[in-house]
Amino acid sequence: MPQDTAFTLPFGAVTSPDADAARNRSLLWCRRQGLIADPVDEVRFLRWDISGLMAAWNPRASGAQLDLTVDAVVVATFLDDHVDGPLADQPDQVAAVCSDFATVIATGGRPPAGAGPLIRAFGDVWRRLADGASPAWLERTGQHWQWYLGAYTQEAHNRARRRVPTRAEYAELRRRSGFVYAMIDLGQKAYGFELPRRLYADAVVRRMLDITADVVDTLNDVHSVEKEESRGDLHNLVLVIENELGCDRADSVREIQGMISAWCEEFLALEQRLLSTVGLRDTATALRIADCMRTAMSGYLEWSRTTRRYSHLVPAGEPALVTDLVTSPRSTHGHPHLWWGHTPS
């Protein structure tokens, strides 16, 4: 199914003019952090184009502000790929890895002793997120990161039991595992504003945020279904609907197209109501957060048309990243531990 024609959204896509420079800066940051130490990982990292995603997600960001959003999503993506490998059905081990990330949040950016490159890179990201942030905003984005971390353990339990979740169970889990709420927080950081507690609690804003997460996560499920199916993963709405309805792939995708269309219509109607439900002092912020949500949806779809993350799959049985980024490099006498030898693919 062509990724660029199967879905359309009623939101125009724009990309930051700093996208190409951000790609170069991101690669350098990954090398400095020890996240890319093998040619295979570099080839795959460049193929995925996480910088392109965030340049479309936050099209009016540039420089250090854009870089922070890219680096944060690099960490989240690398964690996802690490957990998606040999640990996929090992909930205790997944929980231990995620606990180290939670320690970074709890300590204000200090990784635990002996932490590997990925957790230390998260410490760098968290310190930059905390710089200049209000305690309330930092607590909220910390909670969104905790949602993401906690979802991994739940998914690992499901995989261990080979249990396909119901559609309702999956929807609740996916809003936490999809990372969209934390990525909307990154947009606020990039644009230099914070969503105040009263506006975050507003029913219209909450529903718009949920729709944004549902649209992005569901589009991602459609684009990644072959990747996840090849690895025996059960956590994908396409597969959940096929299991629930006993239908084929085409019927499942058609149902999802209808869901996304309905969500977008609801989002546009809520956007029309938004300014009438918030006070005058929140008007500018309400407009900015609505813009962040629009570009999140359009930005994801724009990125999906060019990324090779889902069109050039890592061979089944191989980890997405050949370097172990969680184990401390000190345990391998200063040399990154390779899961096995590879040639770039």
Side-chain angles (χ1 to χ4, degrees):
M1 181 182 56
Q3 293 181 1
D4 59 346
T5 60
F7 292 90
T8 58
L9 299 178
F11 316 115
V14 185
T15 298
S16 169
D18 198 31
D20 284 339
R23 291 182 177 98
N24 293 330
R25 296 192 300 266
S26 177
L27 179 59
L28 292 174
W29 181 81
C30 286
R31 288 171 175 165
R32 288 196 304 271
Q33 296 294 326
L35 299 180
I36 294 179
D38 183 275
V40 176
D41 290 342
E42 181 167 331
V43 168
R44 291 175 180 173
F45 171 75
L46 294 174
R47 182 185 294 163
W48 300 339
D49 191 23
I50 297 169
S51 298
L53 169 60
M54 298 316 292
W57 190 283
N58 300 304
R60 283 167 283 284
S62 61
Q65 288 71 34
L66 177 59
D67 291 349
L68 175 54
T69 74
V70 174
D71 297 345
V73 176
V74 167
V75 168
T77 303
F78 281 20
L79 173 61
D80 182 73
D81 285 334
H82 182 80
V83 171
D84 193 35
L87 300 186
D89 59 356
Q90 304 294 319
D92 291 343
Q93 293 186 48
V94 170
V97 171
C98 291
S99 176
D100 285 343
F101 278 82
T103 296
V104 171
I105 295 172
T107 60
R110 294 191 300 277
L118 186 58
I119 296 162
R120 289 188 280 108
F122 180 51
D124 176 77
V125 165
W126 189 258
R127 291 188 295 272
R128 289 152 65 195
L129 284 172
D131 185 25
S134 71
W137 184 89
L138 196 61
E139 179 183 6
R140 183 189 308 146
T141 199
Q143 180 185 52
H144 293 159
W145 278 86
Q146 294 278 20
W147 288 355
Y148 183 63
L149 297 170
Y152 279 120
T153 303
Q154 187 173 343
E155 288 183 343
H157 278 292
N158 287 343
R159 291 190 195 100
R161 293 178 292 172
R162 300 303 301 165
R163 181 180 182 275
V164 180
T166 67
R167 196 184 307 202
E169 290 170 340
Y170 179 74
E172 191 277 331
L173 178 60
R174 191 65 169 110
R175 285 182 180 173
R176 293 185 284 118
S177 70
F179 199 59
V180 173
Y181 299 90
M183 290 172 71
I184 295 294
D185 296 337
L186 293 174
Q188 296 168 52
K189 189 71 176 180
Y191 293 144
F193 78 99
E194 294 183 357
L195 193 64
R197 194 186 304 273
R198 62 183 175 276
L199 199 52
Y200 180 72
D202 180 85
V204 172
V205 173
R206 293 293 308 167
R207 180 57 187 154
M208 291 172 71
L209 284 167
D210 287 345
I211 290 172
T212 301
D214 291 345
V215 167
V216 172
D217 291 338
T218 301
L219 286 171
N220 179 256
D221 279 359
V222 172
H223 296 149
S224 65
V225 64
E226 287 85 4
K227 167 182 174 288
E228 290 165 356
E229 196 170 33
S230 72
R231 293 175 174 264
D233 200 351
L234 311 170
H235 298 94
N236 185 293
L237 185 59
V238 178
L239 303 177
V240 168
I241 291 175
E242 288 177 5
N243 182 71
E244 178 185 284
L245 301 182
C247 65
D248 62 15
R249 181 67 42 87
D251 285 341
S252 178
V253 171
R254 274 192 290 272
E255 173 146 347
I256 286 172
Q257 287 173 318
M259 293 165 61
I260 288 178
S261 294
W263 286 332
C264 288
E265 289 179 10
E266 184 183 357
F267 184 93
L268 292 173
L270 290 168
E271 192 174 21
Q272 292 297 313
R273 290 174 46 199
L274 179 60
L275 295 185
S276 65
T277 68
V278 302
L280 184 61
R281 64 176 173 167
D282 288 328
T283 297
T285 304
L287 290 171
R288 296 179 87 175
I289 197 64
D291 176 70
C292 285
M293 290 186 275
R294 279 172 157 266
T295 60
M297 291 182 277
S298 64
Y300 172 80
L301 187 58
E302 182 69 14
W303 170 77
S304 73
R305 292 169 173 156
T306 57
T307 183
R308 291 178 291 169
R309 180 169 173 82
Y310 307 117
S311 60
H312 292 64
L313 298 183
V314 174
E318 292 187 15
L321 296 165
V322 303
T323 306
D324 179 356
L325 300 177
V326 173
T327 303
S328 171
R330 288 177 294 182
S331 65
T332 56
H333 307 289
H335 297 285
H337 171 66
L338 301 185
W339 298 49
W340 54 67
H342 288 273
T343 55
S345 60

